[in-house]
Amino acid sequence: MKTGIVGLGLIGGSMAKAYKEAGHEVFAADKDSAILEMAMLQGVADGTLDAATLPECELILIALYPKASVQWLEDNAAYISKNAVVIDYCGVKREVCRPCFAIAEKYGFTYAGGHPMAGLQYSGFKYSRSNLFKGASMIIVPPNYDDIGLLERIKDILAPAQFGRITISTSEEHDRMIAFTSQMAHVVSNAYIKSPTAKAHRGFSAGSYKDLTRVAKLNEVMWTELFLENADYLVSELDGLIASLEEYRNAIRDGDGATLQELLAEGRRCKEEADK
C-alpha cells in the first residue's frame, strides 16, 4: 500500500516508521526539508509526497496542528485519489472534522477524523519510533456511522500501527472527553510544576511527583492551539476542578478533619468506580 504522511514530527514520524517497517511504500511531506531528507536517508520515506505522488496513495495521514491540517487538505484536495482514505491525527476534532468533511465531499474522496491516544513528553522526528502506537487506542470520527464497510477498511489500513483498540466517536464527544482525559491533565501538570518548591524536589520526590509532572514538558505552540480550539469543554472541566480544589483547601485550612476525610473517601470511590 502506498501511504502518504504529512508532517514528520513524533506522531507522523512514528507512523512513517510503522508503515515502512510493515513493508509499505511511504511518501512524506514536512515543512523542514532537513527532516524530510533525514527520513529518506534513514529509509523511513521512499520519496516526497507532492502533486505527483499524492494521486498514487491509498492512505494519507495528516499529522499537523489543527489549522495547518485543514489548510493542507484544502490546498491538496484536487490531487487526492477518489479511492483514497484521508485521516488527520489532530488532538481536537470539531474544528478539524467540520471543514475536512466538506472538502472530502467536494472532491469525492473519503475523510475520517482520527486521534491516536499515544505520545511522549518529547516532540520531533528524532524521538519517533515504529511501536509508539502498539496497543494504544485510536479514536476515529467517521463521516457515516452506518458504513460498516468503511469502518472495516479503516481498521485494515491502520493495522501497521498495531493499535490495540479502535474507538468510534463523534467530534463533539471526542472533544468533550479529551478535555478531561488529556487536556486538563496537561494544564494541571504544567501549572503544578511552577511552584518554587519544585526546584528543590530531588531527594524528596518519587512516583507521584513523576506521574504528575511528566507532561509538564509540553510543546506550548501546539497545546495553545489545542486548548483554545476546545476552550468550551476545557474551561468547564477546569471550573469543576477548581471548585473541588477549593473544597479541599478550605477543609485543610479550617482543620476540618471530618470534611477532609469525606472528600478523600469520595475521591477514592470515584477512582474505583472509574476503573471498573
Side-chain angles (χ1 to χ4, degrees), residues 54 57-58 60 62 69-70 72-87 99-112 143 150 153:
L54 258 174
C57 292
E58 180 182 343
I60 299 165
I62 308 175
S69 294
V70 176
W72 184 91
L73 190 61
E74 186 172 358
D75 291 344
N76 293 276
Y79 303 110
I80 297 173
S81 168
K82 288 181 171 56
N83 296 319
V85 174
V86 179
I87 302 174
C100 288
F101 281 139
I103 294 168
E105 184 176 1
K106 177 180 178 181
Y107 287 91
F109 57 82
T110 299
Y111 160 80
L150 173 60
R153 184 185 177 194

PDB file of all heavy atoms in Angstrom, residues 54 57-58 60 62 69-70 72-87 99-112 143 150 153:
ATOM      1  N   LEU A  54       0.841  12.120  -4.662  1.00  0.00           N
ATOM      2  CA  LEU A  54      -0.427  12.111  -3.930  1.00  0.00           C
ATOM      3  C   LEU A  54      -1.499  11.250  -4.599  1.00  0.00           C
ATOM      4  O   LEU A  54      -2.180  10.468  -3.909  1.00  0.00           O
ATOM      5  CB  LEU A  54      -0.957  13.538  -3.773  1.00  0.00           C
ATOM      6  CG  LEU A  54      -0.772  14.213  -2.422  1.00  0.00           C
ATOM      7  CD1 LEU A  54      -1.228  15.661  -2.484  1.00  0.00           C
ATOM      8  CD2 LEU A  54      -1.520  13.467  -1.326  1.00  0.00           C
ATOM      9  N   CYS A  57      -1.504   7.465  -3.681  1.00  0.00           N
ATOM     10  CA  CYS A  57      -1.630   6.997  -2.301  1.00  0.00           C
ATOM     11  C   CYS A  57      -3.044   6.512  -1.983  1.00  0.00           C
ATOM     12  O   CYS A  57      -4.030   7.207  -2.252  1.00  0.00           O
ATOM     13  CB  CYS A  57      -1.248   8.109  -1.332  1.00  0.00           C
ATOM     14  SG  CYS A  57       0.501   8.541  -1.379  1.00  0.00           S
ATOM     15  N   GLU A  58      -3.107   5.331  -1.372  1.00  0.00           N
ATOM     16  CA  GLU A  58      -4.385   4.777  -0.925  1.00  0.00           C
ATOM     17  C   GLU A  58      -4.773   5.325   0.438  1.00  0.00           C
ATOM     18  O   GLU A  58      -5.943   5.432   0.786  1.00  0.00           O
ATOM     19  CB  GLU A  58      -4.277   3.253  -0.861  1.00  0.00           C
ATOM     20  CG  GLU A  58      -5.536   2.549  -0.414  1.00  0.00           C
ATOM     21  CD  GLU A  58      -5.361   1.046  -0.326  1.00  0.00           C
ATOM     22  OE1 GLU A  58      -4.391   0.519  -0.905  1.00  0.00           O
ATOM     23  OE2 GLU A  58      -6.196   0.386   0.337  1.00  0.00           O
ATOM     24  N   ILE A  60      -3.713   8.517   3.302  1.00  0.00           N
ATOM     25  CA  ILE A  60      -2.978   9.746   3.595  1.00  0.00           C
ATOM     26  C   ILE A  60      -3.246  10.107   5.051  1.00  0.00           C
ATOM     27  O   ILE A  60      -4.397  10.260   5.463  1.00  0.00           O
ATOM     28  CB  ILE A  60      -3.408  10.900   2.670  1.00  0.00           C
ATOM     29  CG1 ILE A  60      -3.115  10.535   1.215  1.00  0.00           C
ATOM     30  CG2 ILE A  60      -2.690  12.191   3.051  1.00  0.00           C
ATOM     31  CD1 ILE A  60      -3.813  11.426   0.211  1.00  0.00           C
ATOM     32  N   ILE A  62      -2.518  12.841   8.031  1.00  0.00           N
ATOM     33  CA  ILE A  62      -2.102  14.226   8.251  1.00  0.00           C
ATOM     34  C   ILE A  62      -1.781  14.425   9.728  1.00  0.00           C
ATOM     35  O   ILE A  62      -2.661  14.372  10.586  1.00  0.00           O
ATOM     36  CB  ILE A  62      -3.200  15.211   7.818  1.00  0.00           C
ATOM     37  CG1 ILE A  62      -3.658  14.918   6.387  1.00  0.00           C
ATOM     38  CG2 ILE A  62      -2.695  16.649   7.932  1.00  0.00           C
ATOM     39  CD1 ILE A  62      -4.818  15.783   5.931  1.00  0.00           C
ATOM     40  N   SER A  69      -3.606  21.412   9.354  1.00  0.00           N
ATOM     41  CA  SER A  69      -4.162  20.198   8.750  1.00  0.00           C
ATOM     42  C   SER A  69      -5.282  20.540   7.778  1.00  0.00           C
ATOM     43  O   SER A  69      -5.340  20.011   6.660  1.00  0.00           O
ATOM     44  CB  SER A  69      -4.695  19.260   9.841  1.00  0.00           C
ATOM     45  OG  SER A  69      -3.649  18.768  10.649  1.00  0.00           O
ATOM     46  N   VAL A  70      -6.170  21.404   8.211  1.00  0.00           N
ATOM     47  CA  VAL A  70      -7.278  21.818   7.347  1.00  0.00           C
ATOM     48  C   VAL A  70      -6.741  22.541   6.117  1.00  0.00           C
ATOM     49  O   VAL A  70      -7.187  22.290   4.989  1.00  0.00           O
ATOM     50  CB  VAL A  70      -8.263  22.723   8.117  1.00  0.00           C
ATOM     51  CG1 VAL A  70      -9.355  23.239   7.182  1.00  0.00           C
ATOM     52  CG2 VAL A  70      -8.892  21.965   9.291  1.00  0.00           C
ATOM     53  N   TRP A  72      -3.775  22.261   4.714  1.00  0.00           N
ATOM     54  CA  TRP A  72      -3.084  21.333   3.809  1.00  0.00           C
ATOM     55  C   TRP A  72      -4.096  20.563   2.967  1.00  0.00           C
ATOM     56  O   TRP A  72      -3.911  20.407   1.760  1.00  0.00           O
ATOM     57  CB  TRP A  72      -2.220  20.341   4.579  1.00  0.00           C
ATOM     58  CG  TRP A  72      -1.432  19.452   3.660  1.00  0.00           C
ATOM     59  CD1 TRP A  72      -0.183  19.665   3.172  1.00  0.00           C
ATOM     60  CD2 TRP A  72      -1.884  18.224   3.064  1.00  0.00           C
ATOM     61  NE1 TRP A  72       0.191  18.660   2.313  1.00  0.00           N
ATOM     62  CE2 TRP A  72      -0.838  17.760   2.226  1.00  0.00           C
ATOM     63  CE3 TRP A  72      -3.042  17.476   3.157  1.00  0.00           C
ATOM     64  CZ2 TRP A  72      -0.944  16.578   1.486  1.00  0.00           C
ATOM     65  CZ3 TRP A  72      -3.161  16.304   2.415  1.00  0.00           C
ATOM     66  CH2 TRP A  72      -2.115  15.865   1.593  1.00  0.00           C
ATOM     67  N   LEU A  73      -5.167  20.084   3.595  1.00  0.00           N
ATOM     68  CA  LEU A  73      -6.163  19.316   2.861  1.00  0.00           C
ATOM     69  C   LEU A  73      -6.834  20.188   1.806  1.00  0.00           C
ATOM     70  O   LEU A  73      -7.056  19.736   0.669  1.00  0.00           O
ATOM     71  CB  LEU A  73      -7.207  18.730   3.812  1.00  0.00           C
ATOM     72  CG  LEU A  73      -8.163  17.719   3.176  1.00  0.00           C
ATOM     73  CD1 LEU A  73      -7.405  16.527   2.626  1.00  0.00           C
ATOM     74  CD2 LEU A  73      -9.212  17.258   4.182  1.00  0.00           C
ATOM     75  N   GLU A  74      -7.139  21.409   2.160  1.00  0.00           N
ATOM     76  CA  GLU A  74      -7.773  22.312   1.202  1.00  0.00           C
ATOM     77  C   GLU A  74      -6.842  22.586   0.013  1.00  0.00           C
ATOM     78  O   GLU A  74      -7.278  22.614  -1.140  1.00  0.00           O
ATOM     79  CB  GLU A  74      -8.142  23.617   1.890  1.00  0.00           C
ATOM     80  CG  GLU A  74      -8.939  24.561   1.017  1.00  0.00           C
ATOM     81  CD  GLU A  74      -9.462  25.773   1.789  1.00  0.00           C
ATOM     82  OE1 GLU A  74      -9.226  25.848   3.012  1.00  0.00           O
ATOM     83  OE2 GLU A  74     -10.102  26.631   1.162  1.00  0.00           O
ATOM     84  N   ASP A  75      -5.553  22.758   0.304  1.00  0.00           N
ATOM     85  CA  ASP A  75      -4.589  23.075  -0.754  1.00  0.00           C
ATOM     86  C   ASP A  75      -4.295  21.887  -1.668  1.00  0.00           C
ATOM     87  O   ASP A  75      -3.894  22.085  -2.825  1.00  0.00           O
ATOM     88  CB  ASP A  75      -3.272  23.553  -0.140  1.00  0.00           C
ATOM     89  CG  ASP A  75      -3.398  24.910   0.539  1.00  0.00           C
ATOM     90  OD1 ASP A  75      -4.393  25.615   0.281  1.00  0.00           O
ATOM     91  OD2 ASP A  75      -2.510  25.240   1.349  1.00  0.00           O
ATOM     92  N   ASN A  76      -4.439  20.672  -1.166  1.00  0.00           N
ATOM     93  CA  ASN A  76      -4.017  19.488  -1.914  1.00  0.00           C
ATOM     94  C   ASN A  76      -5.146  18.554  -2.314  1.00  0.00           C
ATOM     95  O   ASN A  76      -4.899  17.509  -2.922  1.00  0.00           O
ATOM     96  CB  ASN A  76      -2.983  18.703  -1.095  1.00  0.00           C
ATOM     97  CG  ASN A  76      -1.686  19.464  -0.922  1.00  0.00           C
ATOM     98  OD1 ASN A  76      -0.810  19.434  -1.784  1.00  0.00           O
ATOM     99  ND2 ASN A  76      -1.548  20.160   0.197  1.00  0.00           N
ATOM    100  N   ALA A  77      -6.377  18.904  -1.979  1.00  0.00           N
ATOM    101  CA  ALA A  77      -7.522  18.017  -2.213  1.00  0.00           C
ATOM    102  C   ALA A  77      -7.662  17.599  -3.672  1.00  0.00           C
ATOM    103  O   ALA A  77      -8.046  16.457  -3.972  1.00  0.00           O
ATOM    104  CB  ALA A  77      -8.807  18.689  -1.743  1.00  0.00           C
ATOM    105  N   ALA A  78      -7.335  18.481  -4.586  1.00  0.00           N
ATOM    106  CA  ALA A  78      -7.519  18.190  -6.014  1.00  0.00           C
ATOM    107  C   ALA A  78      -6.598  17.078  -6.509  1.00  0.00           C
ATOM    108  O   ALA A  78      -6.874  16.465  -7.551  1.00  0.00           O
ATOM    109  CB  ALA A  78      -7.285  19.458  -6.840  1.00  0.00           C
ATOM    110  N   TYR A  79      -5.526  16.796  -5.772  1.00  0.00           N
ATOM    111  CA  TYR A  79      -4.568  15.776  -6.188  1.00  0.00           C
ATOM    112  C   TYR A  79      -4.857  14.402  -5.580  1.00  0.00           C
ATOM    113  O   TYR A  79      -4.214  13.415  -5.930  1.00  0.00           O
ATOM    114  CB  TYR A  79      -3.149  16.184  -5.793  1.00  0.00           C
ATOM    115  CG  TYR A  79      -2.725  17.518  -6.343  1.00  0.00           C
ATOM    116  CD1 TYR A  79      -2.572  18.611  -5.489  1.00  0.00           C
ATOM    117  CD2 TYR A  79      -2.489  17.702  -7.703  1.00  0.00           C
ATOM    118  CE1 TYR A  79      -2.182  19.855  -5.978  1.00  0.00           C
ATOM    119  CE2 TYR A  79      -2.101  18.943  -8.203  1.00  0.00           C
ATOM    120  CZ  TYR A  79      -1.947  20.008  -7.332  1.00  0.00           C
ATOM    121  OH  TYR A  79      -1.569  21.225  -7.818  1.00  0.00           O
ATOM    122  N   ILE A  80      -5.793  14.334  -4.653  1.00  0.00           N
ATOM    123  CA  ILE A  80      -6.052  13.101  -3.919  1.00  0.00           C
ATOM    124  C   ILE A  80      -6.988  12.193  -4.700  1.00  0.00           C
ATOM    125  O   ILE A  80      -8.027  12.632  -5.210  1.00  0.00           O
ATOM    126  CB  ILE A  80      -6.642  13.419  -2.526  1.00  0.00           C
ATOM    127  CG1 ILE A  80      -5.632  14.216  -1.700  1.00  0.00           C
ATOM    128  CG2 ILE A  80      -7.023  12.132  -1.787  1.00  0.00           C
ATOM    129  CD1 ILE A  80      -6.177  14.713  -0.371  1.00  0.00           C
ATOM    130  N   SER A  81      -6.643  10.911  -4.764  1.00  0.00           N
ATOM    131  CA  SER A  81      -7.456   9.937  -5.484  1.00  0.00           C
ATOM    132  C   SER A  81      -8.820   9.779  -4.815  1.00  0.00           C
ATOM    133  O   SER A  81      -8.940   9.811  -3.587  1.00  0.00           O
ATOM    134  CB  SER A  81      -6.738   8.590  -5.513  1.00  0.00           C
ATOM    135  OG  SER A  81      -7.606   7.556  -5.952  1.00  0.00           O
ATOM    136  N   LYS A  82      -9.841   9.576  -5.635  1.00  0.00           N
ATOM    137  CA  LYS A  82     -11.185   9.340  -5.089  1.00  0.00           C
ATOM    138  C   LYS A  82     -11.277   8.010  -4.363  1.00  0.00           C
ATOM    139  O   LYS A  82     -12.235   7.760  -3.626  1.00  0.00           O
ATOM    140  CB  LYS A  82     -12.223   9.412  -6.217  1.00  0.00           C
ATOM    141  CG  LYS A  82     -12.457  10.827  -6.743  1.00  0.00           C
ATOM    142  CD  LYS A  82     -13.500  10.847  -7.839  1.00  0.00           C
ATOM    143  CE  LYS A  82     -13.904  12.275  -8.205  1.00  0.00           C
ATOM    144  NZ  LYS A  82     -12.762  13.110  -8.597  1.00  0.00           N
ATOM    145  N   ASN A  83     -10.286   7.140  -4.545  1.00  0.00           N
ATOM    146  CA  ASN A  83     -10.256   5.847  -3.851  1.00  0.00           C
ATOM    147  C   ASN A  83      -9.482   5.911  -2.540  1.00  0.00           C
ATOM    148  O   ASN A  83      -9.390   4.913  -1.825  1.00  0.00           O
ATOM    149  CB  ASN A  83      -9.614   4.786  -4.755  1.00  0.00           C
ATOM    150  CG  ASN A  83     -10.423   4.536  -6.007  1.00  0.00           C
ATOM    151  OD1 ASN A  83     -11.655   4.479  -5.959  1.00  0.00           O
ATOM    152  ND2 ASN A  83      -9.751   4.405  -7.147  1.00  0.00           N
ATOM    153  N   ALA A  84      -8.931   7.072  -2.233  1.00  0.00           N
ATOM    154  CA  ALA A  84      -8.076   7.197  -1.051  1.00  0.00           C
ATOM    155  C   ALA A  84      -8.893   7.459   0.212  1.00  0.00           C
ATOM    156  O   ALA A  84     -10.018   7.965   0.163  1.00  0.00           O
ATOM    157  CB  ALA A  84      -7.067   8.313  -1.248  1.00  0.00           C
ATOM    158  N   VAL A  85      -8.284   7.104   1.343  1.00  0.00           N
ATOM    159  CA  VAL A  85      -8.815   7.464   2.660  1.00  0.00           C
ATOM    160  C   VAL A  85      -7.831   8.435   3.294  1.00  0.00           C
ATOM    161  O   VAL A  85      -6.627   8.171   3.350  1.00  0.00           O
ATOM    162  CB  VAL A  85      -8.981   6.230   3.569  1.00  0.00           C
ATOM    163  CG1 VAL A  85      -9.391   6.658   4.979  1.00  0.00           C
ATOM    164  CG2 VAL A  85     -10.017   5.275   2.995  1.00  0.00           C
ATOM    165  N   VAL A  86      -8.346   9.562   3.764  1.00  0.00           N
ATOM    166  CA  VAL A  86      -7.536  10.574   4.438  1.00  0.00           C
ATOM    167  C   VAL A  86      -7.938  10.616   5.908  1.00  0.00           C
ATOM    168  O   VAL A  86      -9.128  10.687   6.224  1.00  0.00           O
ATOM    169  CB  VAL A  86      -7.735  11.963   3.809  1.00  0.00           C
ATOM    170  CG1 VAL A  86      -6.899  13.011   4.548  1.00  0.00           C
ATOM    171  CG2 VAL A  86      -7.378  11.939   2.322  1.00  0.00           C
ATOM    172  N   ILE A  87      -6.952  10.562   6.794  1.00  0.00           N
ATOM    173  CA  ILE A  87      -7.220  10.614   8.233  1.00  0.00           C
ATOM    174  C   ILE A  87      -6.291  11.646   8.858  1.00  0.00           C
ATOM    175  O   ILE A  87      -5.073  11.590   8.644  1.00  0.00           O
ATOM    176  CB  ILE A  87      -6.989   9.240   8.908  1.00  0.00           C
ATOM    177  CG1 ILE A  87      -7.872   8.166   8.266  1.00  0.00           C
ATOM    178  CG2 ILE A  87      -7.274   9.321  10.408  1.00  0.00           C
ATOM    179  CD1 ILE A  87      -7.595   6.757   8.785  1.00  0.00           C
ATOM    180  N   PRO A  99     -14.672  21.256   8.584  1.00  0.00           N
ATOM    181  CA  PRO A  99     -14.242  21.676   7.241  1.00  0.00           C
ATOM    182  C   PRO A  99     -13.706  20.530   6.399  1.00  0.00           C
ATOM    183  O   PRO A  99     -13.886  20.518   5.172  1.00  0.00           O
ATOM    184  CB  PRO A  99     -13.152  22.712   7.526  1.00  0.00           C
ATOM    185  CG  PRO A  99     -12.662  22.398   8.899  1.00  0.00           C
ATOM    186  CD  PRO A  99     -13.848  21.873   9.635  1.00  0.00           C
ATOM    187  N   CYS A 100     -13.076  19.543   7.028  1.00  0.00           N
ATOM    188  CA  CYS A 100     -12.477  18.450   6.253  1.00  0.00           C
ATOM    189  C   CYS A 100     -13.531  17.523   5.652  1.00  0.00           C
ATOM    190  O   CYS A 100     -13.353  17.016   4.534  1.00  0.00           O
ATOM    191  CB  CYS A 100     -11.491  17.662   7.113  1.00  0.00           C
ATOM    192  SG  CYS A 100      -9.954  18.563   7.446  1.00  0.00           S
ATOM    193  N   PHE A 101     -14.632  17.304   6.354  1.00  0.00           N
ATOM    194  CA  PHE A 101     -15.733  16.531   5.766  1.00  0.00           C
ATOM    195  C   PHE A 101     -16.252  17.230   4.516  1.00  0.00           C
ATOM    196  O   PHE A 101     -16.547  16.588   3.503  1.00  0.00           O
ATOM    197  CB  PHE A 101     -16.867  16.353   6.778  1.00  0.00           C
ATOM    198  CG  PHE A 101     -16.639  15.279   7.806  1.00  0.00           C
ATOM    199  CD1 PHE A 101     -16.998  15.484   9.135  1.00  0.00           C
ATOM    200  CD2 PHE A 101     -16.084  14.058   7.451  1.00  0.00           C
ATOM    201  CE1 PHE A 101     -16.798  14.492  10.088  1.00  0.00           C
ATOM    202  CE2 PHE A 101     -15.876  13.060   8.399  1.00  0.00           C
ATOM    203  CZ  PHE A 101     -16.231  13.281   9.715  1.00  0.00           C
ATOM    204  N   ALA A 102     -16.358  18.550   4.586  1.00  0.00           N
ATOM    205  CA  ALA A 102     -16.868  19.319   3.439  1.00  0.00           C
ATOM    206  C   ALA A 102     -15.903  19.262   2.266  1.00  0.00           C
ATOM    207  O   ALA A 102     -16.322  19.124   1.107  1.00  0.00           O
ATOM    208  CB  ALA A 102     -17.101  20.765   3.861  1.00  0.00           C
ATOM    209  N   ILE A 103     -14.611  19.348   2.548  1.00  0.00           N
ATOM    210  CA  ILE A 103     -13.604  19.276   1.485  1.00  0.00           C
ATOM    211  C   ILE A 103     -13.636  17.907   0.813  1.00  0.00           C
ATOM    212  O   ILE A 103     -13.605  17.789  -0.420  1.00  0.00           O
ATOM    213  CB  ILE A 103     -12.199  19.564   2.049  1.00  0.00           C
ATOM    214  CG1 ILE A 103     -12.106  21.012   2.535  1.00  0.00           C
ATOM    215  CG2 ILE A 103     -11.122  19.282   0.997  1.00  0.00           C
ATOM    216  CD1 ILE A 103     -10.866  21.311   3.351  1.00  0.00           C
ATOM    217  N   ALA A 104     -13.715  16.858   1.617  1.00  0.00           N
ATOM    218  CA  ALA A 104     -13.740  15.493   1.072  1.00  0.00           C
ATOM    219  C   ALA A 104     -14.980  15.266   0.204  1.00  0.00           C
ATOM    220  O   ALA A 104     -14.903  14.637  -0.859  1.00  0.00           O
ATOM    221  CB  ALA A 104     -13.705  14.481   2.214  1.00  0.00           C
ATOM    222  N   GLU A 105     -16.112  15.781   0.663  1.00  0.00           N
ATOM    223  CA  GLU A 105     -17.338  15.624  -0.119  1.00  0.00           C
ATOM    224  C   GLU A 105     -17.228  16.360  -1.451  1.00  0.00           C
ATOM    225  O   GLU A 105     -17.665  15.859  -2.496  1.00  0.00           O
ATOM    226  CB  GLU A 105     -18.535  16.148   0.678  1.00  0.00           C
ATOM    227  CG  GLU A 105     -19.869  15.944  -0.018  1.00  0.00           C
ATOM    228  CD  GLU A 105     -21.047  16.392   0.839  1.00  0.00           C
ATOM    229  OE1 GLU A 105     -20.822  16.875   1.961  1.00  0.00           O
ATOM    230  OE2 GLU A 105     -22.191  16.241   0.378  1.00  0.00           O
ATOM    231  N   LYS A 106     -16.626  17.519  -1.435  1.00  0.00           N
ATOM    232  CA  LYS A 106     -16.475  18.315  -2.651  1.00  0.00           C
ATOM    233  C   LYS A 106     -15.603  17.613  -3.690  1.00  0.00           C
ATOM    234  O   LYS A 106     -15.914  17.632  -4.888  1.00  0.00           O
ATOM    235  CB  LYS A 106     -15.872  19.678  -2.299  1.00  0.00           C
ATOM    236  CG  LYS A 106     -15.601  20.564  -3.501  1.00  0.00           C
ATOM    237  CD  LYS A 106     -14.993  21.896  -3.073  1.00  0.00           C
ATOM    238  CE  LYS A 106     -14.664  22.762  -4.291  1.00  0.00           C
ATOM    239  NZ  LYS A 106     -14.054  24.068  -3.883  1.00  0.00           N
ATOM    240  N   TYR A 107     -14.534  16.963  -3.223  1.00  0.00           N
ATOM    241  CA  TYR A 107     -13.574  16.365  -4.162  1.00  0.00           C
ATOM    242  C   TYR A 107     -13.763  14.855  -4.344  1.00  0.00           C
ATOM    243  O   TYR A 107     -13.080  14.247  -5.162  1.00  0.00           O
ATOM    244  CB  TYR A 107     -12.149  16.673  -3.716  1.00  0.00           C
ATOM    245  CG  TYR A 107     -11.768  18.115  -3.953  1.00  0.00           C
ATOM    246  CD1 TYR A 107     -11.963  19.074  -2.967  1.00  0.00           C
ATOM    247  CD2 TYR A 107     -11.242  18.520  -5.170  1.00  0.00           C
ATOM    248  CE1 TYR A 107     -11.632  20.406  -3.180  1.00  0.00           C
ATOM    249  CE2 TYR A 107     -10.893  19.846  -5.396  1.00  0.00           C
ATOM    250  CZ  TYR A 107     -11.098  20.787  -4.399  1.00  0.00           C
ATOM    251  OH  TYR A 107     -10.767  22.100  -4.624  1.00  0.00           O
ATOM    252  N   GLY A 108     -14.637  14.241  -3.558  1.00  0.00           N
ATOM    253  CA  GLY A 108     -15.006  12.861  -3.807  1.00  0.00           C
ATOM    254  C   GLY A 108     -14.162  11.782  -3.184  1.00  0.00           C
ATOM    255  O   GLY A 108     -14.310  10.603  -3.496  1.00  0.00           O
ATOM    256  N   PHE A 109     -13.288  12.122  -2.248  1.00  0.00           N
ATOM    257  CA  PHE A 109     -12.529  11.089  -1.545  1.00  0.00           C
ATOM    258  C   PHE A 109     -13.096  10.915  -0.135  1.00  0.00           C
ATOM    259  O   PHE A 109     -14.005  11.639   0.287  1.00  0.00           O
ATOM    260  CB  PHE A 109     -11.032  11.422  -1.499  1.00  0.00           C
ATOM    261  CG  PHE A 109     -10.696  12.751  -0.863  1.00  0.00           C
ATOM    262  CD1 PHE A 109     -10.612  12.893   0.507  1.00  0.00           C
ATOM    263  CD2 PHE A 109     -10.457  13.865  -1.662  1.00  0.00           C
ATOM    264  CE1 PHE A 109     -10.300  14.116   1.088  1.00  0.00           C
ATOM    265  CE2 PHE A 109     -10.140  15.100  -1.093  1.00  0.00           C
ATOM    266  CZ  PHE A 109     -10.061  15.219   0.284  1.00  0.00           C
ATOM    267  N   THR A 110     -12.583   9.944   0.607  1.00  0.00           N
ATOM    268  CA  THR A 110     -13.084   9.651   1.950  1.00  0.00           C
ATOM    269  C   THR A 110     -12.170  10.255   3.004  1.00  0.00           C
ATOM    270  O   THR A 110     -10.949  10.074   2.961  1.00  0.00           O
ATOM    271  CB  THR A 110     -13.171   8.133   2.177  1.00  0.00           C
ATOM    272  OG1 THR A 110     -14.084   7.572   1.222  1.00  0.00           O
ATOM    273  CG2 THR A 110     -13.678   7.824   3.579  1.00  0.00           C
ATOM    274  N   TYR A 111     -12.767  10.951   3.934  1.00  0.00           N
ATOM    275  CA  TYR A 111     -12.019  11.524   5.056  1.00  0.00           C
ATOM    276  C   TYR A 111     -12.645  11.065   6.363  1.00  0.00           C
ATOM    277  O   TYR A 111     -13.868  10.980   6.487  1.00  0.00           O
ATOM    278  CB  TYR A 111     -12.026  13.049   5.002  1.00  0.00           C
ATOM    279  CG  TYR A 111     -11.707  13.691   6.333  1.00  0.00           C
ATOM    280  CD1 TYR A 111     -10.397  13.804   6.775  1.00  0.00           C
ATOM    281  CD2 TYR A 111     -12.737  14.130   7.184  1.00  0.00           C
ATOM    282  CE1 TYR A 111     -10.105  14.359   8.017  1.00  0.00           C
ATOM    283  CE2 TYR A 111     -12.461  14.684   8.417  1.00  0.00           C
ATOM    284  CZ  TYR A 111     -11.139  14.797   8.838  1.00  0.00           C
ATOM    285  OH  TYR A 111     -10.868  15.326  10.076  1.00  0.00           O
ATOM    286  N   ALA A 112     -11.796  10.766   7.351  1.00  0.00           N
ATOM    287  CA  ALA A 112     -12.251  10.457   8.705  1.00  0.00           C
ATOM    288  C   ALA A 112     -11.328  11.159   9.690  1.00  0.00           C
ATOM    289  O   ALA A 112     -10.118  11.251   9.473  1.00  0.00           O
ATOM    290  CB  ALA A 112     -12.248   8.952   8.962  1.00  0.00           C
ATOM    291  N   PRO A 143     -17.326   9.679   8.668  1.00  0.00           N
ATOM    292  CA  PRO A 143     -18.346  10.528   8.062  1.00  0.00           C
ATOM    293  C   PRO A 143     -19.739   9.924   8.153  1.00  0.00           C
ATOM    294  O   PRO A 143     -20.738  10.633   8.095  1.00  0.00           O
ATOM    295  CB  PRO A 143     -17.892  10.640   6.605  1.00  0.00           C
ATOM    296  CG  PRO A 143     -17.101   9.395   6.365  1.00  0.00           C
ATOM    297  CD  PRO A 143     -16.424   9.093   7.661  1.00  0.00           C
ATOM    298  N   LEU A 150     -16.694   0.818   5.444  1.00  0.00           N
ATOM    299  CA  LEU A 150     -15.658   1.833   5.604  1.00  0.00           C
ATOM    300  C   LEU A 150     -14.916   1.647   6.920  1.00  0.00           C
ATOM    301  O   LEU A 150     -13.680   1.749   6.965  1.00  0.00           O
ATOM    302  CB  LEU A 150     -16.274   3.230   5.556  1.00  0.00           C
ATOM    303  CG  LEU A 150     -15.308   4.376   5.886  1.00  0.00           C
ATOM    304  CD1 LEU A 150     -14.137   4.400   4.917  1.00  0.00           C
ATOM    305  CD2 LEU A 150     -16.045   5.712   5.900  1.00  0.00           C
ATOM    306  N   ARG A 153     -12.555  -1.088   6.541  1.00  0.00           N
ATOM    307  CA  ARG A 153     -11.425  -0.671   5.709  1.00  0.00           C
ATOM    308  C   ARG A 153     -10.440   0.171   6.507  1.00  0.00           C
ATOM    309  O   ARG A 153      -9.222  -0.010   6.411  1.00  0.00           O
ATOM    310  CB  ARG A 153     -11.926   0.122   4.496  1.00  0.00           C
ATOM    311  CG  ARG A 153     -10.803   0.509   3.531  1.00  0.00           C
ATOM    312  CD  ARG A 153     -11.288   1.384   2.397  1.00  0.00           C
ATOM    313  NE  ARG A 153     -10.177   1.779   1.541  1.00  0.00           N
ATOM    314  CZ  ARG A 153     -10.228   2.744   0.633  1.00  0.00           C
ATOM    315  NH1 ARG A 153     -11.362   3.413   0.450  1.00  0.00           N
ATOM    316  NH2 ARG A 153      -9.171   3.047  -0.087  1.00  0.00           N
TER     317      ARG A 153
END
